Amino acid sequence: MTQISVRVDGADYSDDVEPRTLLVHYLREQLGKVGTVVGCDTSNCGACTVHLDGEAVKSCTVFAVQADGSEVTTIEGISSNGTLHPMQKAFHEMHGLQCGFCTPGMIMASIDLVNDNPDPSEDEVREGIEGNLCRCTGYQNIVRAVQQAAGEMHGRTDAADTLGAQS
Amino acid sequence: MTLVEEPTTADAPQKEIGKARRRKEDARLITGKTTWTDNMVLPGMLHLAVVRSPVAHAKITNVDVSAAQQSPNVIAVFTGQDFKDEQGSIPCAWPVTPDMVNPGHPSVAVDEVNHVGEAVAVIVARSKTAAQDAVELVDVDYDLLPVVLDMEEATAQNPSLCHDHLESNESFNFVFDAGEAGTGADTEQAFADAEVVVSRRFVQQRLIPAFMEPRSVVVQPQGDNYTLWSSTQIPHILRVMLAMVTGVPEHKLRVIAPDVGGGFGGKLQVTPEEVLCLLVARRLGKPVKWTETRSESLMSAHHGRDQIQYIDIAADREGNLKGLRCRILSDMGAYLRLVSPGVPVLGAFMYVGIYKFPAYRFDCRGIFTNKVPTDAYRGAGRPEATFAIERIMDELAVELGMDPLELRRKNWINAEEFPFTTAAGLEYDSGDYEQATQQALELLGYDELRAEQQRRRESGDPVQLGIGISTFTEMCGLAPSRVLGSLSYGAGGWENASIRMLPTGKVEVVTGSTPHGQGHETAWSQLVADSLGVPFEDVEVLHGDTAISTRGMDTYGSRSLVVGGAAVMKAADKVLAKARRVAAHLLEANEDDLDFANGSFSVRGTPGTGLSIQEIALATFAAHNFPEGMEPSIDGEATFDPVNFSYPHGTHLCAMEVDTETGMVTIRKYASVDDIGVVVNPLIVEGQMHGGLAQGIAQALYEEAVYDADGNLTTGTFVDYLVPSAADLPHFDTGNTVHAAPGNPIGAKGVGEAGCIASTPAVVNAALDAVRHLGVSDILMPLTPERVWRAIHQGGDGGGRATAGTNAYGGAQTETTAGVATDASSLGGDR
Amino acid sequence: MIPAPFAYARPSTIDEALQAVATGGEDVKILAGGQSLIPVMRLRLAAPETVVDLTKVAELRGVREEGDAIVVGAMTTHSDVLSDPLIARYAPLIAEATETVADRQVRHRGTFGGALAHADPAGDLPAVALALDAEFVIAGLSGRRTVPAAEFFVDYLTTALEEGELLVEIRVPKREGWAMHYEKFNRVAQAWSIVAVAAAVRMEGGRIAEARIGLTNMGPTPLRASAVEAALAGADATAEAIAAAAEHAGEGTSPSSDLNAQADYRQHLATVLTRRAVSAACGL
């Protein structure tokens, strides 16, 4: 067992973990942060994406011991005082989710993308979320959502295309 | 001054049906406040890990669990010997022929294994980690048997046998002959008389549903009662089947499907692991949990498709269709699961597509191979049928020198001919194929793209352009119970709903149709808001728990709105009928003199007499002043059983660029116009279309479950089983025409499978259209760049793929042997 | 899946790291970014006794200028590489290839040195290092040695790194004014290369004075397309000349056959992609 201190979604934790404990299992099983999920074994699906010191990482491909001294933000830590993060709001508005299993990782990866690229084109969004698999949506409404959120996060009002019933 | 509100009764509130309501479900899903089965923790809960066979076909000669039992924190280890007397067989609910051969399907292998990934032992430990650590300590001795993998070899002379105690590898032979059924002319005669016959062999590769949430099961025993949570599409069917398989009485078993992360048919199953969790919980009297890894999921959850189709089409020189003959080999895998044999039968009546064939014959043999069983995957039978007919129509057009669209137009059912009974005996309900096609052509920019195609051909551009057409229909709304009965399915196809009017005027809707991403909570709220005139927000939809939603047939086959939504409408009718009686009593009027609008009853011609449904609900709760002889309840329950399927249709067009130097194909543009009847929520409909398109395109271009010569699944991780990302899929241009379905009170036809069914042939036809002038007439799916390149430069259909997995991660595909010790890789570094 | 148990060391200096590797027992794995090692451990294809995590070794991270070379610390992440001005100026090929590695989450953790030491033939950076004539600085308890790229990649997943040694930095000769392009071919966005070609050319007037071509996934190690380089040297930078030279790209290669491509198709791809890479570098 190794002792680690981690700040997760604004709260400090000190815990003993086995070195082999993956960050995502620490979050889910020791902290009860079950909003972050596991979808694969090979770092392909991105469902487990969280922010580690501000950068999106796949928490199934980081050991919990590696997060010692770091700050982790999960899907459960991005809305404040009951106000949704613009990315969460946009996923809802643009119908960027169906079953919702990929959604936490997709939202965390998308925020990371928009932090780097405040006004991504459709192709840039598609490339930017290449590390996150969704089986339900065909991605089109996710792309719209990310573009709309990018507009809101960076103070533009002309964001994205408005959602037609059919496009 | 006092603000006096304008009376709103004059302006009817906007109808909910047709409104792009944002989904109610999203609130929990976008914030991580979800209830996936794997989230669940119960006091004293034990964790299961499954030891799986690394070989495809063998007798088990010995299982040594002693080392695993000694492993830290391991509570118990069970093998097939421990459960052989109580595990029964995984049920097959669809004996498609009276003489269908079913070898039986143990949840944990007893004497033999028949596919890689079959369970051979179960570890029960205090933690998931401890359970997984012990997996590799179980020592199983296998006496290897010949492996049957190829259906054509399996049905040739003297084949090796998948099950050595059976006489052959054939499970069943299902035949539908229009001549014999009286729905068409004699097929053999039609072919004998035909001027033109085109024959092709198409391969529907094996696919994996690959829902994003790995399956998970939790069982809690309470005395002799059990509650089972599962990531399933079918809690109701699962309860019945588990009771029948394990002997736990049905009334002692409660099944709950909490938030479920996608299914696509892949969670339409009674799984070995669900049975095992129940058996272990019963044996130990402790709560247990099993959650699969992705590798386990790809290797052991049921697969889909996997057919070889021999298709013959007959026509005259003018392009008038004369007959269609389909011989199908359908790979069942090693066992029959819930509806394995029924999948090709669901397609049996759809091969004629939208065309007026005078003669039709369908002959399907279900074949056993030493692979994981196949079963439902989005579309189930209908994508295979649609692919075959839409591909062979293009081949016939080439043979006749006709434009493929003209050939279709010449033979499809015209709008004025509905309802139309096809040679397969189905009565198509409504539609207008011409209208959808015209709209799709405009959406694609067809003429411009054809002109560009011509330019590229003339200039010998290394990147060629093709346009693929798929004009399709499907049967949805599974299903009329009597039709299912005539096809020997083990259950009905009705759906149940009930509506409870709460004292405060809020409404609970209980549906038997269990969602896993489709948005039932939102759409059902819209239905009820319109029917009862209550606010959308005041409706709560309950589902997925057999103790709450006591009757149901669950979600698959694009049935939820068409059957389940119809049940909700029927239940609302019953609520209104009762409320009307109460209203008449309270308003001291005759029921026939009451109008109901915007949630209120009023006496016709007497303004100001309104009594809202909420007021009636409260009056019912009090029951102080109630009609004589009437029970104090206005709740309604209904079970809807459709009399016919519904038949969505559409025209899908794909423009495809083919790099002739590398074989890489890239979708330039995709346009589709679908008629799914009345649309309740256009936002949800559009999402369903997009998702279906993605999966149908993925079959054409990316996905295939590949086994090597020993029967190992080499696409055992997402490294090699290619689920496309956003960067790998195009933008979709989608549209609708609306012809209401006459068979249900909503007029909806079903949308869940349409995109997946229609798109695959459109994509393949597009690629072929781009390179046909180079001598290519077929390319196997998925259209890997290598296959496309070989077809262009070496002829043929692109040929088989090497079966080795990629060397990524130093050979991650060897994970298919998970459960046995593998050589540690020689990795030195890192990505 | 959960990895098998292991002992964990997290040194903060190179010396500590070497000590940890030396005392870690029989089977020690060095954890750089972990983006290949951790999946392999989860699949239990690797079950090391000890994992030595270099994440906190600050001196291994960053890019600096040293005479006629830039020096990339082995633990510099792919993301750091992408935003580094020295790489952009002197070795843009590295950035171009790095951008194609996996996805943004993986690039945040994965490292330049880790990718090279892993020596995955389908990985993108080994062929780039080879094309650019990079040198590998290797530290051991007995001191440091430098190995040229041509000698670093020994076999499938095998490098010149001996037991107990660490790759600490990679020296890349400055090639200001060279034109470069990385041409990658894969089926889905986040996948490994089926084949890729790293091209760097030095132009003089309208001619190619010098060309360096690295091939990804055309054998158990990255390869130089020497015959192509020879044919390009002194050739006119025309489509015809480049195409003729690229025809040699398959020579001396021994690619594997897998789901995505059989060997003969990979050799064909190498010629097409080489032509495209060189043409793009030449601005054609």
Side-chain angles (χ1 to χ4, degrees):
Chain A
M1 289 284 183
T2 305
Q3 197 186 39
I4 59 169
S5 298
V6 197
R7 189 168 175 83
V8 181
D9 294 337
D12 293 317
Y13 300 89
S14 280
D15 281 299
D16 289 331
V17 296
E18 265 196 283
R20 61 167 158 169
T21 304
L22 300 169
L23 177 57
V24 68
H25 289 144
Y26 173 69
L27 293 171
R28 286 179 59 81
E29 285 155 24
Q30 280 181 258
L31 304 188
K33 295 274 181 185
V34 292
T36 302
V37 296
V38 186
C40 77
D41 315 319
T42 47
S43 193
N44 287 89
C45 82
C48 64
T49 300
V50 301
H51 293 182
L52 180 61
D53 293 327
E55 286 186 328
V57 301
K58 295 180 175 176
S59 63
C60 76
T61 315
V62 177
F63 291 120
V65 284
Q66 296 186 283
D68 183 26
S70 291
E71 180 153 1
V72 175
T73 307
T74 79
I75 188 70
E76 297 172 57
I78 56 170
S79 54
S80 53
N81 303 326
T83 307
L84 294 176
H85 187 282
M87 194 64 74
Q88 291 173 305
K89 212 165 67 181
F91 268 67
H92 174 59
E93 277 297 312
M94 294 293 167
H95 188 34
L97 65 150
Q98 290 177 29
C99 84
F101 193 78
C102 77
T103 307
M106 197 66 85
I107 286 176
M108 298 310 286
S110 299
I111 293 171
D112 186 65
L113 167 68
V114 173
N115 285 344
D116 275 1
N117 181 350
D119 188 16
S121 68
E122 175 174 347
D123 283 349
E124 286 169 340
V125 174
R126 287 179 181 273
E127 292 289 337
I129 57 172
E130 68 192 338
N132 293 73
L133 299 178
C134 167
R135 194 60 159 168
C136 294
T137 64
Y139 302 103
Q140 189 152 315
N141 289 341
I142 292 176
V143 174
R144 285 179 180 153
V146 175
Q147 289 188 302
Q148 160 150 313
E152 187 175 339
M153 285 164 68
H154 293 92
R156 293 190 307 278
T157 50
D158 59 329
D161 59 313
T162 50
L163 188 71
Q166 300 283 318
S167 71
Chain B
M1 69 181 265
T2 319
L3 182 68
V4 179
E5 284 189 359
E6 287 289 310
T8 54
T9 47
D11 307 305
Q14 205 187 341
K15 293 284 278 185
E16 283 290 340
I17 292 178
K19 200 191 263 190
R21 273 284 186 187
R22 273 48 175 175
R23 297 196 322 167
K24 291 183 169 184
E25 292 85 344
D26 294 353
R28 62 182 187 274
L29 299 171
I30 58 176
T31 52
K33 308 290 186 214
T34 37
T35 58
W36 314 115
T37 301
D38 186 51
N39 292 2
M40 185 160 310
V41 177
L42 296 170
M45 188 169 80
L46 301 174
H47 298 260
L48 268 53
V50 178
V51 183
R52 298 185 182 278
S53 172
V55 298
H57 195 196
K59 295 288 178 196
I60 296 171
T61 54
N62 188 44
V63 184
D64 181 357
V65 299
S66 54
Q69 274 169 335
Q70 301 304 313
S71 190
N73 292 313
V74 168
I75 302 297
V77 183
F78 297 109
T79 70
Q81 293 300 333
D82 298 307
F83 286 136
K84 65 181 178 187
D85 296 330
E86 55 184 300
Q87 67 176 343
S89 170
I90 293 295
C92 175
W94 204 332
V96 293
T97 61
D99 56 354
M100 183 184 83
V101 176
N102 183 351
H105 184 349
S107 289
V108 53
V110 181
D111 303 315
E112 60 181 41
V113 290
N114 289 291
H115 66 85
V116 168
E118 187 168 355
V120 292
V122 182
I123 313 281
V124 187
R126 289 178 58 208
S127 72
K128 183 165 71 179
T129 307
Q132 290 198 355
D133 284 347
V135 163
E136 54 203 65
L137 300 176
V138 174
D139 193 8
V140 186
D141 294 334
Y142 297 101
D143 195 354
L144 297 182
L145 293 167
V147 176
V148 179
L149 298 170
D150 181 286
M151 282 195 285
E152 285 168 331
E153 287 173 15
T155 52
Q157 292 282 309
N158 302 316
S160 300
L161 292 175
C162 175
H163 295 278
D164 56 4
H165 59 283
L166 300 181
E167 286 170 14
S168 79
N169 291 312
E170 182 174 303
S171 172
F172 62 86
N173 183 10
F174 178 93
V175 176
F176 174 84
D177 186 285
E180 291 165 14
T183 56
D186 182 275
T187 309
E188 295 312 314
Q189 194 61 47
F191 273 84
D193 296 344
E195 293 172 5
V196 180
V197 173
V198 173
S199 299
R200 290 287 183 272
R201 172 184 179 271
F202 298 131
V203 178
Q204 294 286 325
Q205 79 271 35
R206 186 173 266 254
L207 300 175
I208 305 181
F211 36 75
M212 289 315 297
E213 182 207 12
R215 297 170 303 160
S216 182
V217 184
V218 170
V219 179
Q220 180 170 40
Q222 299 146 286
D224 59 354
N225 286 44
Y226 299 88
T227 302
L228 179 142
W229 290 262
S230 182
S231 174
T232 179
Q233 291 174 230
I234 52 160
H236 297 90
I237 295 171
L238 182 59
R239 181 195 193 201
V240 179
M241 293 295 170
L242 284 176
M244 291 164 83
V245 170
T246 64
V248 171
E250 190 179 353
H251 63 302
K252 297 291 188 185
L253 181 61
R254 174 183 180 188
V255 176
I256 300 173
D259 283 331
V260 174
F264 316 108
K267 292 174 180 172
L268 198 189
Q269 195 54 269
V270 179
T271 68
E273 294 83 3
E274 285 161 338
V275 173
L276 290 171
C277 283
L278 188 53
L279 296 181
V280 171
R282 180 163 72 179
R283 185 73 68 93
L284 299 179
K286 299 277 283 180
V288 301
K289 183 204 273 188
W290 169 81
T291 300
E292 70 184 350
T293 67
R294 177 58 60 184
S295 309
E296 275 187 293
S297 188
L298 295 173
M299 170 168 51
S300 66
H302 74 245
H303 292 177
R305 309 282 196 276
D306 206 345
Q307 293 185 357
I308 300 173
Q309 308 171 308
Y310 308 90
I311 310 294
D312 308 318
I313 192 168
D316 64 20
R317 278 275 152 216
E318 286 71 48
N320 296 300
L321 297 178
K322 297 298 182 189
L324 182 70
R325 197 164 52 193
C326 306
R327 287 180 302 120
I328 311 293
L329 295 179
S330 186
D331 193 342
M332 298 292 103
Y335 299 110
L336 302 179
R337 284 194 184 167
L338 190 62
V339 297
S340 304
V343 170
V345 172
L346 278 172
F349 305 93
M350 295 311 304
Y351 279 76
V352 295
I354 63 171
Y355 309 112
K356 295 180 279 189
F357 281 98
Y360 171 58
R361 180 180 170 86
F362 173 88
D363 181 320
C364 174
R365 299 166 71 191
I367 308 300
F368 291 118
T369 63
N370 293 112
K371 300 179 185 176
V372 78
T374 61
D375 206 305
Y377 172 55
R378 202 169 194 170
R382 291 151 290 158
E384 297 93 312
T386 301
F387 182 88
I389 185 62
E390 289 305 299
R391 280 284 299 109
I392 199 87
M393 287 297 281
D394 265 28
E395 297 301 308
L396 177 62
V398 170
E399 177 69 24
L400 295 170
M402 280 182 80
D403 179 90
L405 195 51
E406 276 318 302
L407 178 66
R408 286 170 168 82
R409 196 173 262 135
K410 190 167 195 147
N411 289 285
W412 71 37
I413 299 157
N414 294 307
E416 64 276 12
E417 294 175 296
F418 287 101
F420 183 92
T421 301
T422 71
L426 295 178
E427 188 190 275
Y428 290 2
D429 52 3
S430 68
D432 186 337
Y433 304 144
E434 180 65 43
Q435 186 191 7
T437 301
Q438 281 304 333
Q439 210 171 307
L441 292 171
E442 284 163 32
L443 210 48
L444 186 78
Y446 183 81
D447 294 339
E448 296 80 22
L449 285 165
R450 279 284 183 221
E452 182 183 332
Q453 177 184 35
Q454 193 58 34
R455 286 197 302 276
R456 285 177 184 260
R457 281 203 185 178
E458 285 164 4
S459 67
D461 195 317
V463 179
Q464 289 290 310
L465 182 66
I467 299 175
I469 302 166
S470 170
T471 51
F472 87 107
T473 189
E474 54 151 334
M475 49 193 252
C476 274
L478 304 182
S481 296
R482 64 181 175 78
V483 175
L484 291 176
S486 73
L487 294 172
S488 311
Y489 181 59
W494 48 262
E495 193 48 273
N496 180 264
S498 55
I499 295 178
R500 304 200 286 249
M501 297 302 301
L502 305 183
T504 56
K506 309 296 184 193
V507 184
E508 283 178 340
V509 177
V510 182
T511 177
S513 175
T514 305
H516 37 282
Q518 294 87 349
H520 291 27
E521 293 169 30
T522 303
W524 278 214
S525 295
Q526 290 178 269
L527 295 177
V528 171
D530 270 1
S531 298
L532 300 183
V534 298
F536 169 80
E537 295 75 13
D538 285 0
V539 183
E540 187 73 15
V541 178
L542 308 174
H543 55 75
D545 179 342
T546 59
I548 292 169
S549 159
T550 50
R551 300 186 69 221
M553 282 292 181
D554 305 312
T555 290
Y556 43 85
S558 305
R559 71 186 305 271
S560 287
L561 185 64
V562 178
V563 188
V568 170
M569 299 292 275
K570 297 280 186 192
D573 287 346
K574 292 187 178 177
V575 170
L576 283 182
K578 292 181 187 173
R580 177 179 293 270
R581 193 171 162 198
V582 178
H585 174 76
L586 295 175
L587 293 170
E588 296 175 348
N590 191 310
E591 278 187 59
D592 296 338
D593 294 333
L594 294 184
D595 284 333
F596 180 72
N598 306 325
S600 286
F601 288 96
S602 57
V603 182
R604 200 168 304 123
T606 314
T609 55
L611 190 61
S612 74
I613 190 107
Q614 291 90 343
E615 290 169 311
I616 295 169
L618 185 60
T620 303
F621 174 67
H624 297 163
N625 180 12
F626 225 62
E628 197 64 39
M630 183 177 174
E631 290 177 15
S633 164
I634 58 168
D635 295 351
E637 179 184 351
T639 301
F640 180 73
D641 196 347
V643 295
N644 189 6
F645 296 96
S646 54
Y647 298 90
H649 73 82
T651 297
H652 287 231
L653 301 173
C654 177
M656 175 79 89
E657 290 181 358
V658 179
D659 181 339
T660 58
E661 293 183 334
T662 63
M664 179 64 95
V665 295
T666 309
I667 293 177
R668 162 86 166 269
K669 197 160 187 199
Y670 196 99
S672 62
V673 174
D674 284 86
D675 196 316
I676 54 153
V678 172
V679 171
V680 171
N681 185 321
L683 200 60
I684 289 175
V685 161
E686 188 191 31
Q688 288 289 322
M689 283 308 304
H690 290 169
L693 291 175
Q695 286 182 15
I697 291 169
Q699 175 175 7
L701 300 186
Y702 300 118
E703 296 182 22
E704 182 176 16
V706 177
Y707 284 84
D708 69 14
D710 296 326
N712 294 304
L713 180 71
T714 52
T715 51
T717 71
F718 279 157
V719 174
D720 287 320
Y721 193 82
L722 298 185
V723 173
S725 76
D728 308 310
L729 290 168
H731 182 92
F732 309 119
D733 292 295
T734 58
N736 279 127
T737 60
V738 179
H739 291 82
N744 67 70
I746 302 167
K749 294 182 177 173
V751 68
E753 296 161 297
C756 192
I757 291 170
S759 55
T760 312
V763 173
V764 176
N765 281 340
L768 289 170
D769 186 55
V771 296
R772 206 178 275 274
H773 66 293
L774 302 174
V776 181
S777 61
D778 196 17
I779 308 173
L780 291 170
M781 296 189 291
L783 306 180
T784 67
E786 178 176 20
R787 278 178 166 157
V788 175
W789 177 78
R790 283 193 197 283
I792 295 170
H793 297 280
Q794 299 175 348
D797 58 12
R801 305 163 71 186
T803 57
T806 58
N807 52 21
Y809 296 132
Q813 80 282 354
T814 54
E815 162 64 4
T816 49
T817 56
V820 293
T822 52
D823 290 339
S825 86
S826 56
L827 288 188
D830 217 338
R831 166 152 112 171
Chain C
M1 284 283 283
I2 299 160
F6 55 84
Y8 175 75
R10 190 169 56 181
S12 51
T13 67
I14 293 172
D15 287 343
E16 284 176 24
L18 289 169
Q19 284 298 335
V21 172
T23 57
E26 288 277 302
D27 186 6
V28 181
K29 290 279 186 219
I30 294 161
L31 177 70
Q35 303 301 288
S36 286
L37 181 59
I38 295 174
V40 167
M41 290 175 65
R42 289 183 68 194
L43 297 171
R44 299 209 177 184
L45 297 172
E49 185 179 341
T50 302
V51 169
V52 177
D53 178 4
L54 301 183
T55 315
K56 296 288 177 188
V57 184
E59 59 190 303
L60 287 176
R61 197 160 169 173
V63 183
R64 66 179 194 279
E65 217 171 343
E66 213 175 88
D68 57 0
I70 57 172
V71 181
V72 186
M75 286 295 291
T76 307
T77 65
H78 298 314
S79 294
D80 292 344
V81 163
L82 287 174
S83 60
D84 188 87
L86 290 171
I87 286 175
R89 181 166 173 194
Y90 295 114
L93 186 60
I94 294 176
E96 206 181 328
T98 298
E99 202 163 10
T100 72
V101 171
D103 52 63
R104 59 187 299 111
Q105 292 99 311
V106 168
R107 292 193 294 269
H108 282 146
R109 296 292 294 175
T111 65
F112 188 60
L116 293 169
H118 183 36
D120 188 331
D124 297 294
L125 299 172
V128 170
L130 193 62
L132 296 179
D133 262 346
E135 293 181 324
F136 293 71
V137 181
I138 295 169
L141 282 175
S142 53
R144 293 194 174 198
R145 64 192 180 105
T146 300
V147 176
E151 293 167 23
F152 183 76
F153 301 104
V154 174
D155 202 350
Y156 179 66
L157 303 179
T158 308
T159 68
L161 284 164
E162 299 289 341
E163 222 169 274
E165 289 187 324
L166 277 185
L167 174 62
V168 292
E169 57 194 32
I170 300 91
R171 303 171 62 86
V172 184
K174 289 179 182 172
R175 294 189 193 278
E176 200 169 13
W178 282 58
M180 304 180 184
H181 184 73
Y182 191 69
E183 185 76 23
K184 177 166 177 167
F185 190 82
N186 56 12
R187 286 179 61 209
V188 294
Q190 60 166 294
W192 276 257
S193 288
I194 296 173
V195 176
V197 177
V201 294
R202 184 167 61 79
M203 307 279 288
E204 278 175 6
R207 294 159 68 90
I208 297 170
E210 204 181 340
R212 317 185 72 82
I213 312 292
L215 303 176
T216 297
N217 215 10
M218 288 300 291
T221 66
L223 297 172
R224 281 281 283 276
S226 315
V228 179
E229 293 178 359
L232 286 172
D236 290 335
T238 62
E240 295 71 27
I242 292 168
E247 284 302 315
H248 299 288
E251 289 174 16
T253 63
S254 53
S256 60
S257 290
D258 64 28
L259 288 173
N260 293 317
Q262 295 174 51
D264 63 324
Y265 173 62
R266 278 202 161 90
Q267 288 179 322
H268 164 75
L269 280 179
T271 65
V272 175
L273 302 176
T274 298
R275 191 190 80 221
R276 290 180 181 179
V278 175
S279 299
C282 293
L284 295 180

